[in-house]
Amino acid sequence: MKQFFITLVVASLATIGYGQTAIGVKGNDPFLTFNVFANVKSGGNYNVEYFPELILPNVGVFANVRFASHFAFQPELMYKQEAISFQRENENLERGDRHFIRFNSIEMPMLLHIQGNNPFRGFGQIGVGPKFLMRATYSERQKSARTDISRYFNSTQLVFHLGGGVMWETRKWIFMADGRFSGSISDISSDSYNPYLDFKDATSVYLSFSVGVGYKIR
């Protein structure tokens, strides 16, 4: 898988040298970001209830390379936070009293844009990309001290992306707003032992709304 990721990154960097290219920054609205995990199991001999989380940052930089009238390539380098809160079954805790596991990652979506020709236009996007885990932590409560549990998770994952949005293009700038579905397509963890939750068969779904601005360098 590492060779695949390296090839993907090299091809992305090479593509930036062709076509109309804009470099920019983008970020999500944390209040319009939704993260849920599926197929998570208890790490002990008891049942658990787990919950989706909101208010998660996803920010970074992008390049938009238009190589044909209706197509563009957009590689991104993004900081991403994911989270899951959980409790024992029927424990009925307030959100702030639940247990939390958080994931901080660097993500590199490689996206194909299919778009119109007008200065103000819609676009669809689809692609894959690697996600590199920086740190995974556990906390007894939402705001209590965090324990590093990164060793229980795979350091690299492959993620699928699908979405769409609108773009406004001027002579020197592009402005974008888009919604995106992202889902893990490789294992989050290869280790069935975890003292808190078992992620061996788990998948992650991330829904976000982002805005971005880019400056045309060619």
Side-chain angles (χ1 to χ4, degrees), residues 72-130:
F73 173 65
Q74 183 163 305
E76 300 176 357
L77 182 64
M78 307 290 291
Y79 167 78
K80 185 176 190 177
Q81 187 178 98
E82 297 168 275
I84 181 172
S85 61
F86 64 99
Q87 64 186 20
R88 292 198 181 204
E89 193 173 35
N90 299 320
E91 202 168 11
N92 297 322
L93 297 176
E94 296 292 331
R95 180 174 180 271
D97 293 325
R98 295 178 197 149
H99 316 303
F100 274 76
I101 292 178
R102 298 176 175 88
F103 303 89
N104 298 310
S105 304
I106 295 294
E107 190 171 56
M108 299 177 64
M110 312 292 177
L111 304 168
L112 175 66
H113 276 209
I114 304 169
Q115 58 192 26
N117 276 325
N118 295 326
F120 184 79
R121 57 185 180 267
F123 64 87
Q125 57 186 354
I126 187 171
V128 297

Side-chain angles (χ1 to χ4, degrees), residues 1 5 35 37 78 80-82 103-109 128-134 154-159 161 182-184 186 188 204-206:
M1 186 176 286
F5 289 153
N35 179 212
F37 287 82
M78 307 290 291
K80 185 176 190 177
Q81 187 178 98
E82 297 168 275
F103 303 89
N104 298 310
S105 304
I106 295 294
E107 190 171 56
M108 299 177 64
V128 297
K131 181 173 67 175
F132 304 101
L133 180 65
M134 299 167 58
N154 294 333
S155 59
T156 307
Q157 297 173 41
L158 188 63
V159 180
H161 304 278
S182 302
S184 57
S186 65
I188 296 173
S204 172
V205 171
Y206 197 89

Side-chain angles (χ1 to χ4, degrees), residues 164-201:
V166 293
M167 176 186 298
W168 177 39
E169 182 178 358
T170 68
R171 190 173 65 88
K172 278 294 187 181
W173 296 89
I174 61 171
F175 303 89
M176 294 187 298
D178 71 276
R180 186 180 302 173
F181 162 91
S182 302
S184 57
I185 54 177
S186 65
D187 292 339
I188 296 173
S189 174
S190 301
D191 189 353
S192 59
Y193 172 74
N194 187 313
Y196 308 106
L197 292 177
D198 180 357
F199 286 86
K200 188 173 182 181
D201 298 318

